[in-house]
Amino acid sequence: EAEVAQSPRYKITEKSQAVAFWCDPISGHATLYWYRQILGQGPELLVQFQDESVVDDSQLPKDRFSAERLKGVDSTLKIQPAELGDSAMYLCASSLRLAGITDTQYFGPGTRLTVL
Amino acid sequence: AQTVTQSQPEMSVQEAETVTLSCTYDTSESNYYLFWYKQPPSRQMILVIRQEAYKQQNATENRFSVNFQKAAKSFSLKISDSQLGDTAMYFCAFTPPRGSNYKLTFGKGTLLTVNP
């Protein structure tokens, strides 16, 4: 069964360092999402891609966060510089996106980030 | 803005019994989609069940069913014959209709523990 892949699974970094996360969606899925999940809370959308284009990055802290999906397949989320408050689980999800229909979002295992 | 509220941070149930998790939401939209996602400990989030608001019939997936009360903006999840593998964090989520990029808004979650 196809799954969303993420790496690394765990990342420990120091404040002010740069960190990057990678996501490979299910093959053929046009839509890719990055969520941040703070411990004890539900995921919050950071950025959404449709193919290689950003369709929603309204909650992305653009002064330190960036995301790209250059060929419309895999994606990278970067934080520079990392701050203590960035400690969280970063989840990637993908969906098929049939026009006009809400698709199921399939989630990856996440990357647990700890900023010291 | 849409909000999703899960008023039960934690619940427990004995194996083989039935449990109901509560969810309420706030929206001015007339058509939308509602979901329950399950996040087992250290495992990825998976979709449990989904409901289209325009459908009056409550969705059912094996042991999982919902009680959708549109006027009350309530969307509860009933788990019958609870199993140890049902132990997980359960998130209620909402997405409005097209034009909003189907952005998911999650509640804070309910931690369900199934006891032997």
Side-chain angles (χ1 to χ4, degrees):
Chain A
E1 182 176 311
E3 294 185 340
V4 176
Q6 288 188 249
S7 66
R9 293 292 306 277
Y10 303 91
K11 180 69 177 179
I12 299 174
T13 191
E14 293 186 346
K15 188 175 63 170
S16 79
Q17 295 298 304
V19 64
F21 314 131
W22 176 80
C23 172
D24 191 13
I26 293 173
S27 178
H29 280 197
T31 308
L32 185 146
Y33 311 80
W34 283 102
Y35 290 88
R36 178 169 59 187
Q37 185 180 18
I38 296 171
L39 188 63
Q41 296 187 21
E44 291 183 312
L45 182 70
L46 290 175
V47 61
Q48 177 182 345
F49 290 91
Q50 180 69 24
D51 299 311
E52 65 275 9
S53 301
V54 173
V55 296
D56 188 342
D57 63 356
S58 58
Q59 300 302 310
L60 188 71
K62 298 181 187 64
D63 57 334
R64 298 185 300 107
F65 285 64
S66 64
E68 61 182 14
R69 193 184 183 198
L70 293 176
K71 296 183 179 179
V73 181
D74 59 339
S75 176
T76 301
L77 177 70
K78 297 178 181 177
I79 307 174
Q80 182 171 15
E83 295 182 353
L84 296 177
D86 296 332
S87 294
M89 177 75 85
Y90 290 82
L91 297 170
C92 179
S94 70
S95 66
L96 189 58
R97 180 47 60 89
L98 299 174
I101 299 174
T102 292
D103 304 316
T104 296
Q105 292 186 26
Y106 295 87
F107 285 80
T111 296
R112 170 73 67 187
L113 173 66
T114 301
V115 182
L116 303 177
Chain B
Q2 288 83 18
T3 59
V4 177
T5 302
Q6 294 180 248
S7 59
Q8 305 150 315
E10 295 186 36
M11 294 189 72
S12 63
V13 64
Q14 292 300 121
E15 198 173 6
E17 293 186 348
T18 295
V19 64
T20 299
L21 309 183
S22 301
C23 172
T24 58
Y25 57 93
D26 186 26
T27 182
S28 58
E29 303 287 348
S30 60
N31 192 27
Y32 43 86
Y33 301 85
L34 294 161
F35 306 84
W36 279 98
Y37 277 88
K38 168 185 177 182
Q39 190 175 37
S42 301
R43 294 180 61 188
Q44 58 216 75
M45 192 172 303
I46 58 173
L47 179 68
V48 175
I49 200 165
R50 59 180 275 171
Q51 174 83 40
E52 288 90 347
Y54 65 88
K55 291 186 177 179
Q56 294 185 340
Q57 186 173 4
N58 289 325
T60 300
E61 288 287 342
N62 300 314
R63 298 182 295 107
F64 299 87
S65 62
V66 298
N67 183 5
F68 174 48
Q69 300 291 326
K70 191 172 183 179
K73 296 181 182 176
S74 171
F75 183 60
S76 61
L77 175 70
K78 186 172 81 170
I79 306 173
S80 304
D81 186 25
S82 296
Q83 300 176 0
L84 296 179
D86 295 333
T87 292
M89 197 75 169
Y90 287 81
F91 293 98
C92 179
F94 166 99
T95 190
R98 76 181 79 185
S100 62
N101 298 313
Y102 301 106
K103 175 179 175 178
L104 275 176
T105 299
F106 286 87
K108 290 189 174 183
T110 296
L111 178 61
L112 176 67
T113 302
V114 180
N115 299 307

